[in-house]
Amino acid sequence: MTKIRRTSRTARVLLPAAVAGVLLSGCAQADEAPAAAPSRSASSAPAPAVTVTPPPASGAAKPGARPAAGTLLVGDFGSDTVTFVDPARGATGSVKVGTAPYGLALGKDGRAWVATAEGVAVVDTATRERLALVPYRTDTGPVTTGEYRGGGMGIALSPDGKRVYVGVNVPGGNGTLEVIDTAAVKVVDVVDVGRRPFDVDVSRDGSAVYATNHDSFDVTVVDADSLDTRRVEVAPYGTEGGLGSWLKPHYTAVRPSDGKLLLPFEGERLAVVDPATGRVEIEEMTADTHQHGATVTADGTLFAVGTGPIDPSEDRGPSLTVRSPEGVERVYPLDGPHEDVAVSEDGRTAYVTGGFTRDGYWDGISVVDLGSGEVQRLAAGARPLGVVVF
């Protein structure tokens, strides 16, 4: 385990209100303690009817021309759409999906599953139509927008494409993980998880699902067959300050080589979680910036988005960290806050969304040439958060 350099961040879990309000106007919440260990939900309401427009044929996408390889799809948190983006030309069209879309997942059949405040939208990416809107069983209150809105956040597909898992935020309480049968296009199970499930990931063999819960300092490990759950606390800076802390988990990447979970914190610490044992090891990182989005490529290279400083007198600005499997990092400076990242199939280009969950966002993507380090800004969508590459 790598020795971590000393930092004053552990001593300033809570910033003065005036500073926090300007620099991180929404990442933390206050006045409540972290959630208790989750358990499977037994009180979910019956699933409401699915809104389908038009009805999908046997759960399959309509025939049509698939988007060209390398096309991007982004979720427009600032509107009710997803946008198709040609990295060379910019946006090429949008599809209405539902209020404030957050995460999205792309199936091999060409359907995209989009977590919105209203439900999970199903989009035929060939015909560019919304096929269905699957409402949540979980009561999330009135449909709203903004960082703390209720509804879907992280979302992922099982490797066989038969299940969609979506983390549902319940304002003021614990969230849930809802399980959607992709053939029936309906919610079939609901599991209790922690607070504000920013991210959802699935093990490579599909046997486990991981909900990363921002406001309860933990990851919920869910057995995909039994839906039994285990809480793994991931708090390399401790849990001091509760919901008022800035030093909480955001996004997770599943390492291909061994299935361990990689959670970057503050450009200083990488939490490496063994989901089987719950053991957490800490490795050093170098970007020294508040981190959100994370993904990993097939060779084990980790990409982590730095959103900017908590304290400009001590921390560095926005960046993209690219970390080799051996732990060697290259940090690419970015202009302005960003949220999430996807990588081209050839591994040469990273696409970093500028939507951001807090104020300071912009309507575009930074296109990073990983060889030269050149960064180009591309207008794309409205406050884009989630991103996938065809």
Side-chain angles (χ1 to χ4, degrees):
M1 183 166 60
T2 304
K3 183 178 180 180
I4 301 301
R5 58 193 165 92
R6 294 181 61 84
T7 173
S8 62
R9 205 173 300 239
T10 53
R12 56 180 176 87
V13 176
L14 289 174
L15 289 175
V19 178
V22 173
L23 300 178
L24 287 178
S25 60
C27 198
Q29 286 188 354
D31 301 327
E32 297 187 61
S39 61
R40 183 172 177 180
S41 175
S43 58
S44 300
V50 176
T51 302
V52 181
T53 314
S58 303
K62 288 184 175 182
R66 294 281 185 90
T71 299
L72 312 177
L73 185 67
V74 299
D76 297 323
F77 194 64
S79 67
D80 58 359
T81 58
V82 293
T83 296
F84 294 83
V85 183
D86 180 333
R89 299 186 295 123
T92 62
S94 299
V95 177
K96 183 176 180 179
V97 291
T99 303
Y102 195 98
L104 46 82
L106 182 63
K108 295 178 181 179
D109 60 0
R111 289 187 294 175
W113 301 80
V114 187
T116 81
E118 303 174 55
V120 174
V122 189
V123 176
D124 182 335
T125 61
T127 63
R128 299 194 177 189
E129 296 177 279
R130 190 184 80 176
L131 300 177
L133 181 66
V134 185
Y136 305 115
R137 286 189 185 178
T138 304
D139 182 3
T140 62
V143 174
T144 62
T145 60
E147 181 181 359
Y148 298 110
R149 65 120 175 98
M153 297 188 74
I155 191 169
L157 269 163
S158 62
D160 61 10
K162 294 182 179 180
R163 293 286 186 269
V164 167
Y165 303 97
V166 56
V168 179
N169 179 43
V170 178
N174 282 359
T176 63
L177 183 76
E178 298 210 0
V179 184
I180 296 173
D181 182 305
T182 60
V185 197
K186 68 177 183 180
V187 174
V188 293
D189 276 299
V190 182
V191 182
D192 290 337
V193 295
R195 289 180 178 268
R196 288 181 75 203
F198 257 62
D199 198 14
V200 173
D201 297 272
V202 182
S203 64
R204 296 191 74 187
D205 63 3
S207 65
V209 185
Y210 313 113
T212 302
N213 308 304
H214 178 268
D215 285 349
S216 48
F217 298 91
D218 58 29
V219 172
T220 305
V221 179
V222 183
D223 184 289
D225 291 328
S226 68
L227 299 184
D228 291 338
T229 65
R230 290 183 294 108
R231 177 182 183 266
V232 178
E233 184 174 281
V234 187
Y237 295 91
T239 61
E240 181 184 351
L243 296 184
S245 170
W246 304 115
L247 309 178
K248 295 180 286 194
H250 292 84
Y251 293 81
T252 295
V254 181
R255 189 158 64 187
S257 61
D258 57 8
K260 291 185 177 180
L261 312 182
L262 307 177
L263 291 85
F265 285 78
E266 306 305 317
E268 292 181 341
R269 303 179 182 186
L270 178 67
V272 182
V273 180
D274 184 338
T277 65
R279 182 180 180 186
V280 181
E281 297 185 348
I282 304 299
E283 299 178 4
E284 183 178 7
M285 297 189 77
T286 61
D288 193 18
T289 186
H290 189 66
Q291 287 175 318
H292 274 205
T295 192
V296 66
T297 53
D299 66 355
T301 301
L302 175 68
F303 294 74
V305 179
T307 70
I310 290 178
D311 183 348
S313 69
E314 297 188 16
D315 309 325
R316 297 174 187 161
S319 64
L320 174 68
T321 292
V322 180
R323 181 184 178 91
S324 75
E326 295 75 32
V328 178
E329 295 187 351
R330 180 175 179 181
V331 178
Y332 299 79
L334 298 175
D335 181 11
H338 292 70
E339 183 68 24
D340 207 356
V341 59
V343 184
S344 63
E345 185 176 5
D346 62 12
R348 297 179 179 178
T349 309
Y351 306 103
V352 194
T353 57
F356 201 36
T357 56
R358 307 190 305 274
D359 291 339
Y361 60 85
W362 58 286
D363 297 335
I365 296 170
S366 285
V367 181
V368 183
D369 184 310
L370 299 173
S372 68
E374 181 181 1
V375 180
Q376 296 183 340
R377 288 165 67 94
L378 179 68
R383 196 176 180 178
L385 292 188
V387 56
V388 293
V389 182
F390 287 91

